[in-house]
Amino acid sequence: MDDQELGFKAGDVIEVVDATNKEWWWGRILDSEGWFPASFVRLRVNQDEPMEEYVAKLEGSREEESGVPHLLGPGLPCKEQMRTNVINEIMSTERDYIKHLKDICEGYIKQCRKRTDMFTEEQLRTIFGNIEDIYRFQKKFLKGLEKKYNKEQPHLSEIGSCFLENQTDFQIYSEYCNNHPNACVQLSKLIKINKYLFFFEACRLLQKMIDISLDGFLLTPVQKICKYPLQLAELLKYTNPQHRDYKDVEAALNAMKNVARLINERKRRLENIDKIAQWQSSIEDWEGEDVLTRSSDLIFSGELTKISQPQAKSQQRMFFLFDHQMVYCKKDLLRRDILYYKGRVDMDQMEVVDLEDGKDKDFNVSVRNALKLRSTVPGGEVHLLCAKKPEQKQRWLRAFADERRQVQHDRETGFAITEVQKKQAMLNAGKSHPVGKPKAVTRPYYEFLLRQKHPTLPTSLPQQQVFMLAEPKRKTSNFWQNIGRLTPFRK
């Protein structure tokens, strides 16, 4: 913010002193005065009637009389003018953003690559992520916006289609946002050394960039992807339903909200892989490949009775359902917080069968609250599982359906954890469990397991929650509280 800008938060009421400028108004909050962006506020008349409703009624009566839209008074713009303000704000911030990205790529990255004695390519990748890819994409996106922008009558611009055509490309921000915490860590280490601190400052001065540190510049893409839905929501608010751009803007708003949700979900998944690796390192007698080789999310967990052939032997096991696979373990007889690995089920090769209470033909036993996992490969394995209560069985059936949906969604969106991320997670987990030290599912990982479930975001989620780029808060349920009261993991 500049010295003369007015700071405010959502819900503040600003008294407009001067509205002669289309983009910046002068306003007052209590004892503070300053400039603020006109498109960031919703103008109200007499402090009780929303501006857009007042505009609609007034315009309707006046256009019937003369066919010409009027301004509402000295310096107060009509709905078309408000739409013009929002369009101009979008175009202006987009051009500024392109310059910003150019300064980072040419002012910093280009100079850093010349200094091979100071930076490795891996360091640069960590610090700057895929910001060069974002720069190339944003240049293409701005060209599309410029083609749709009506310079003479900005309110007639039809820019909604630009967002729809590029909604898949916006997903490259997911990689950048996930890497950003690593960039901050790497950068904070380097600037403690004067040589690097002076070098970065020299880069900024040579490129004639404003007086902000590099970590401040690198935060901009994270903020930018959050701002698009807010701008589109404002644009939709001042677009008449009869406007040719209305349906595209409405669809673009939903599309960009979905992009933000996807980034949220990927960030949550990335944060969870460390916890999954630590969970695996706490399991005794582990066999086969690591969970992270194929999976990145714990969807559900709980206790079931497993019935094995040929003697229809009944065994109590703890089951952990991940995407692509399910791991089951046995509890230690004395220390119930210790688990022993007993096997896993490849969910990609299984179909889930809901069984009625009664005698099962394959196992020749009577069962209640049972379900069966049957291999889709002829002659493959079959698993018979029983829950204690009907509602627990239904919860497991929903979890299996969630697992299949998540696998399909990951396939469609191209989500994947890199090999480097997997190896680093397993390396960190190995450090936390030294060789020879007794393992146990310790309380933090136990609580992590209990918290996990397939996330379903309500369609009416407030924007502040959707765009925080952090794990959304989940509703607690009686089921999880009941699980917490069970004794298996307590010493």
Side-chain angles (χ1 to χ4, degrees), residues 55-81:
V55 169
K57 286 191 288 186
L58 196 64
E59 282 185 339
S61 61
R62 287 183 173 177
E63 286 180 13
E64 284 176 9
E65 295 172 7
S66 63
V68 180
H70 290 257
L71 295 181
L72 299 180
L76 297 181
C78 66
K79 195 167 185 176
E80 286 184 355
Q81 183 59 60

Side-chain angles (χ1 to χ4, degrees), residues 192-223:
K192 289 176 182 176
I193 305 169
N194 283 340
K195 179 173 71 171
Y196 289 93
L197 184 64
F198 297 148
F199 176 80
F200 288 136
E201 180 62 8
C203 290
R204 185 187 70 78
L205 293 171
L206 283 171
Q207 193 66 19
K208 298 179 181 177
M209 298 167 74
I210 58 174
D211 189 10
I212 296 177
S213 60
L214 178 55
D215 57 342
F217 288 118
L218 295 178
L219 181 62
T220 312
V222 179
Q223 296 172 324

Side-chain angles (χ1 to χ4, degrees), residues 95-108:
R95 294 182 189 117
D96 291 343
Y97 182 48
I98 289 293
K99 183 182 183 307
H100 179 94
L101 292 174
K102 180 183 177 182
D103 285 343
I104 294 173
C105 292
E106 295 186 3
Y108 283 101

Side-chain angles (χ1 to χ4, degrees), residues 144-160:
L145 284 178
E146 299 281 11
K147 288 179 183 177
K148 299 287 185 178
Y149 178 58
N150 187 326
K151 293 181 181 178
E152 303 300 322
Q153 296 177 295
H155 67 277
L156 297 178
S157 302
E158 300 173 29
I159 65 172

Side-chain angles (χ1 to χ4, degrees), residues 108-149:
Y108 283 101
I109 300 178
K110 195 173 178 181
Q111 297 297 332
C112 288
R113 286 208 173 108
K114 292 178 182 177
R115 297 299 304 268
T116 54
D117 58 317
M118 292 177 67
F119 303 96
T120 65
E121 198 60 37
E122 186 179 347
Q123 277 180 313
L124 295 181
R125 183 69 182 175
T126 301
I127 295 170
F128 297 101
N130 62 335
I131 201 167
E132 290 173 302
D133 296 334
I134 290 174
Y135 177 42
R136 282 189 287 270
F137 160 66
Q138 290 292 158
K139 284 195 292 186
K140 183 189 78 170
F141 178 64
L142 179 59
K143 283 182 182 178
L145 284 178
E146 299 281 11
K147 288 179 183 177
K148 299 287 185 178
Y149 178 58

Side-chain angles (χ1 to χ4, degrees), residues 350-365:
M350 290 289 162
E351 62 176 356
V352 181
V353 182
D354 183 1
L355 299 179
E356 294 182 1
D357 291 351
K359 195 162 189 175
D360 179 72
K361 295 178 182 179
D362 293 336
F363 286 75
N364 196 31
V365 291

Side-chain angles (χ1 to χ4, degrees), residues 395-447:
R395 184 62 189 88
W396 272 104
L397 289 172
R398 291 198 302 274
F400 286 123
D402 289 343
E403 185 270 339
R404 286 294 89 192
R405 277 194 294 271
Q406 180 150 317
V407 168
Q408 179 65 25
H409 183 258
D410 288 349
R411 191 177 295 122
E412 290 170 356
T413 58
F415 175 78
I417 303 293
T418 66
E419 291 300 319
V420 173
Q421 290 167 335
K422 293 174 187 176
K423 287 178 182 176
Q424 187 60 49
M426 293 308 298
L427 186 64
N428 294 340
K431 291 176 182 177
S432 64
H433 286 285
V435 178
K437 187 178 179 180
K439 298 178 183 178
V441 182
T442 55
R443 196 74 197 171
Y445 310 136
Y446 168 50
E447 289 171 352

Side-chain angles (χ1 to χ4, degrees), residues 2 90 443 453 471:
D2 293 333
I90 290 173
R443 196 74 197 171
K453 62 179 178 179
E471 181 176 353

